[in-house]
Each structure stands twice: as structure tokens, then as C-alpha cells.
Amino acid sequence: MTESLFRPDLEERAAAFFRHLQDRIVGGLEGLDGGHFREDTWDRPGGGGGRSRVLSDSALFEKAGVNFSEVFGQLQPHMASSLPGEGLTFHATGVSLVLHPRSPRVPTVHANVRFIQRGNVAWFGGGTDLTPYYVVPADATAFHRALKDICDRHERSLFPRFKGWCDRYFFLPHRNEPRGVGGIFFDYLGVGAEATAGEPAPPPGTDWEKDPERVFAFVQDLGLGMMDAYGAIVSRRRSEAWGDREREWQLLRRGRYVEFNLIYDRGTLFGLRTDGRAESILMSLPPEVRWRYGAAPAPGSPEAASLAAICSQRDWAGDDPG
Amino acid sequence: MTESLFRPDLEERAAAFFRHLQDRIVGGLEGLDGGHFREDTWDRPGGGGGRSRVLSDSALFEKAGVNFSEVFGQLQPHMASSLPGEGLTFHATGVSLVLHPRSPRVPTVHANVRFIQRGNVAWFGGGTDLTPYYVVPADATAFHRALKDICDRHERSLFPRFKGWCDRYFFLPHRNEPRGVGGIFFDYLGVGAEATAGEPAPPPGTDWEKDPERVFAFVQDLGLGMMDAYGAIVSRRRSEAWGDREREWQLLRRGRYVEFNLIYDRGTLFGLRTDGRAESILMSLPPEVRWRYGAAPAPGSPEAASLAAICSQRDWAGDDPG
């Protein structure tokens, strides 16, 4: 059992930051879109609650959800084996968002930052990843470089480690396809990066993450900066033309998003298994989706090129020119 | 370890019957629809293969898939704990179908019959359940009575037991909603109905199911008869009028179907975890789906009445007049 290195007020400071972060991000998105988010506040019967903010059928976003939650109480015994730490008492707080633009030229984006405490261990997790329907390499590069810049300000080893973690996490084994062009993903920062049952072992950690205050500083920096590159991509792509063909491809690719979130996503399954609010958890699902049996892009088409770019899992930030 | 009571040729006879059953069902559906199913035969790298037959965008069905498969080989170790029996050698054969009609007045139906062998134990499983968008009580009753008639010809205790099993199995805990008006569901017939890890314990079995030949006779009778009541419902409802409002409700309810299949369905997860052919397994997903945040039917609307009828899980066959 690890001695806790966390200052006792960290869970409160993390929750306060995440509340502020939700306001900041929603404000930024309202500026980009022109629409207004609807807010639902909710209580979790077992303890805690949250604020779900959703924008539906606006000019830019077909569906955009930004959720803040702070939940606590007792873990169900069947959940206990899948988390680090001991005992059933837990506290979890974070912000998560998924934005589904109407235009197939504008990528879907997901981002999440969270702080989880169980017994006397606690850790930060999170990340952000980009899912374009039509990959524009310059956009993928800009997205990755912005994340690399934030990571590098804190510790040089973070970006390559978190980029690889993202590539492995946002992957659909039954399709043998990544979800998108990736980004960064990290978890268990602060508990010695123990692997948990049923999860691929995380990459080995460094001394850096043994200091929870350093990790919190990184999470704050990431939270406040992670949407900037996405905003710039939206501004570049939102007025590009598209038609039925692009819409059809977007709807089919959204099917992969649903498959990932319902079969594999740790946050979704954690939420559903801890009696979270289903509508807030499943806010991440796209507004409209298609599944067409045996659908595959024609060789040589822009759709085939886009899928190949996604499957390449290349080093978009350009550290490795190969 | 149970001594196997199965005649060694049962797996071959079951597979031969399931092949024939697929032909019969597809022939019947082509008669009903007027369209023709496309067939893909496929091999599974680890052993076995199947025949997927699909009808897309026809007059009656937006998507209809009828799959036969016979797969065998070695279980992945992470699958082993979730199945009765010992060792890693397995053989599984069956027919499964999901039909998604275009009209919201015509219910979606699922049916499956299967025979699985692991080590020296083997069992039959299967069932069929009806998912109406607008519940017509007379149709639900006709569907349940037809299944009750088939069950009763074999053993009087089967129907109430399998009806209750279906109500518990096709249930979405995170929505606190059944998937539809139910039908019958059964599994592990022939291995003493052992509970397996992570599954709710099946209802206690009877002597009847200790004779694999009796069970096989029931499965054949069910397979050959289970689509008749559905065909009659289709004929009664296919020409009823509907519009945008009914379509919207259908697309939202289809979202629940996706949630069930990807989060909970044993067959789907078994297939994906045994390296099955993803397109054939996910053939069950509806062709077009919507998720709308916070959507709920207006009080007093036909949609609210339909959802209430689904949630009632009543004894549609009418054994219990309450």
C-alpha cells in the first residue's frame, strides 16, 4: 500500500478547477458557434452530481456536450477489481466533452481531464483525441504539435509516452482500426502507473509524476490549452463545401465512434457501472449514425486515403520525419 | 466434471440443421419482401466460418441479416472463464438474425438458435424477442402465444421459465428499460444450467433438459416455427401509415438497440472476443440511428404509451390475466 502523497485539499482544488474549466470551454465554444448551451444539473443517488451542458442542432455543432461531474460514495464490489487502490470509498471529478460538428469537413473531438481517489491512492487521467472524417495532415500535425508544446513545458518524456498510449487506447481491435488520428492519453498519474485488471499495462512512468502538484499543474495547463488547436481547425474547415457523399461517410465513421464508446471506453463503462446519469454519459454518442453492411471506401477515393492516414498512426507532430 | 451425454454426431447434426434453417428462413423472408438476400461466405482464421445473408434497403426491410456460422478452435484464455466446461477447445454453430423494417409500425425482431461445445460439455441456447416501436398489444400477445405453443408441445414448464429469462436478459440497466416486449430466451440447456461468471444465474432447470436429444428436438421445432408469428405481424402492419414523427421515434429507440447489443449482448461480445467476422456480428446493428440528448416522449403521447407497455413486462401470452 502506497502512502498518499496528495495534499488533503487536492480533491477540492481539482473539482474547483474542473468547474471553472467547464465554464471556460463552454464560453469558448459559444463564441465559436454563436449558439447557447443548455444546462442540466443532476444529483447522483449514491453521492455527488454534475452539470451537463449540451448544444444541439446549432449552426456548427450537430451535438456538443461538455460535462462536469463530482461523484463519490461506495464502489460496487464488481467495479472494485478494475481500479487501483483499496477499499470501496471513491471520489471522482472531471470534465469530459465530445463535439460532433455537422460538417464532415470538421473533425469530431473528445477531451477529458479527471481526478480519481480510492482509499488512500489518487490519480489524474485524461487526454484528447481528434477524429477527422477527411484527414487533413496539416490539421493533424497542428493538433499534435499543440499538445506536444503543452507536454514539453512540463516534462520532455510526456508527449511521446502519452501519444503512444493514445494510439493504443483509442483502437478498435475488432475493426483493426484506430478511432482517429490520436492525440494524447494518460491515466493513473500519481499511483506509480499500476496496470489494472483487463487493461493494457501503461508505459513505465518517470519521477515527474510522483509529485501530484506537478501533475495537477500539467492537467490545468492541458485543460486550459487543449481546445485552442481544435478551434483553429474548425475555423479553417467550417466553410468548406460538402454533400451527400461526405455526409454518408461521416455517418458510417460515426458508427465506429459508437462502437468504441460502448464496447471499450473506460469512462463510459465506469460511468454506467457506477450508476451514473445515462444521458450525461451517453452525451458522447453522435446525433445520427449509419451502419451499412460491408461498407468500405472505393480504392483510390478520398475516403480510402483518409482511412489509410488514420490507420498509419504516424508521428503527426513530426518528431520522426519518417 | 460432467460426463457428456451428447451423441458424438450431435454437433454435425446441429450444424446441418442450422444450415437448412438459414435457407428456410431466408426463403420465407424473400417471399415476404420480394427482394433477394446477398450472400457472403467467410472463413474464420482460427477455424470454421459462415454464411452471412443480408438484404439492404428493400421495400419492407431497411436492413435484414440472417447469419449461419460454424466456428471452432481454441478459446482465448480471457474468454475461458465466461463459459461452462473445461479446456480451451470449443465448437459453436448457430443461426442468428435481426430484421430492421423500414416502417416504424413494423417491429424489429431478433432470433437465434445455437449449439456450443467446450471440452466434454455442450449446450443449446437461443430465443427470439420482439421490439416494437409502437406496441400493439394483440401483436405482442400473438407473438408470445406462438412461442408458448411451441414450448408447451415439449414441456409445460419451459415457456414461463424462458419468458422470464428473456425479460431479465433483454434489459438495459442503465436505462431501467426492457429492450422490447420480450419473447423467450434460454441458454446452457444440457449442462445443468450452471451460472457463468458475470451472468445472472439462470432459472433452475428440470429433468427435461438432461436429454440432449429432447432439447435438440425443441430447438428444431422452435427454429422452424419461430418466424411464423412475426410474418403475420408484418402482414398486418406493413401498409399502415407513418410519417416523420414515427420515424424519429423509431430512430431514437434503435439507439437503445445499439446500446444493448454493444454493451450487454452475450452473442455479440462472444463473437468479437473470439475474433469473429466483425461485419457479420454487427449485422444486427440498425441501418440508421439517432441519439438526442434528454429525449423523452411527451406524457399522454402514443410514444409514452408504447414505452409504458414495454416497461410493463406483462404476461402477454395471457396466462396471468392480471
Side-chain angles (χ1 to χ4, degrees), chain A residues 40 52 54 57 63 174-175 258-259 262-263 272 277-279 282 285-294, chain B residues 40 52 54 57 63 174-175 258-259 263 272 277-279 282 285-294:
Chain A
D40 284 333
S52 298
V54 187
D57 292 320
K63 187 176 179 188
H174 67 281
R175 299 289 191 181
V258 174
E259 291 173 25
L262 297 185
I263 303 177
L272 295 178
R277 182 173 183 260
E279 279 296 304
L282 300 178
L285 299 179
E288 192 168 328
V289 186
R290 277 189 200 142
W291 278 274
R292 205 177 282 287
Y293 175 78
Chain B
D40 284 334
S52 298
V54 188
D57 291 320
K63 188 176 179 189
H174 66 283
R175 299 290 192 179
V258 174
E259 291 173 23
I263 303 177
L272 296 177
R277 182 174 182 260
E279 280 294 305
L282 300 179
L285 299 179
E288 192 167 328
V289 186
R290 275 187 203 144
W291 278 274
R292 203 178 285 285
Y293 174 79

Side-chain angles (χ1 to χ4, degrees), chain A residues 296-312:
Chain A
S301 65
E303 292 78 16
S306 187
L307 185 53
I310 284 172
C311 290
S312 72

Side-chain angles (χ1 to χ4, degrees), chain A residues 264-284:
Chain A
Y264 303 110
D265 187 62
R266 198 180 288 180
T268 302
L269 300 177
F270 178 85
L272 295 178
R273 286 173 192 163
T274 50
D275 301 320
R277 182 173 183 260
E279 279 296 304
S280 297
I281 297 163
L282 300 178
M283 216 162 65
S284 63

Side-chain angles (χ1 to χ4, degrees), chain B residues 132-137 140 178 180-182 302-316:
Chain B
Y133 302 92
Y134 291 90
V135 174
V136 179
V181 296
E303 292 77 16
S306 189
L307 185 53
I310 284 171
C311 290
S312 73
Q313 294 200 320
R314 55 175 275 211
D315 180 5
W316 294 103

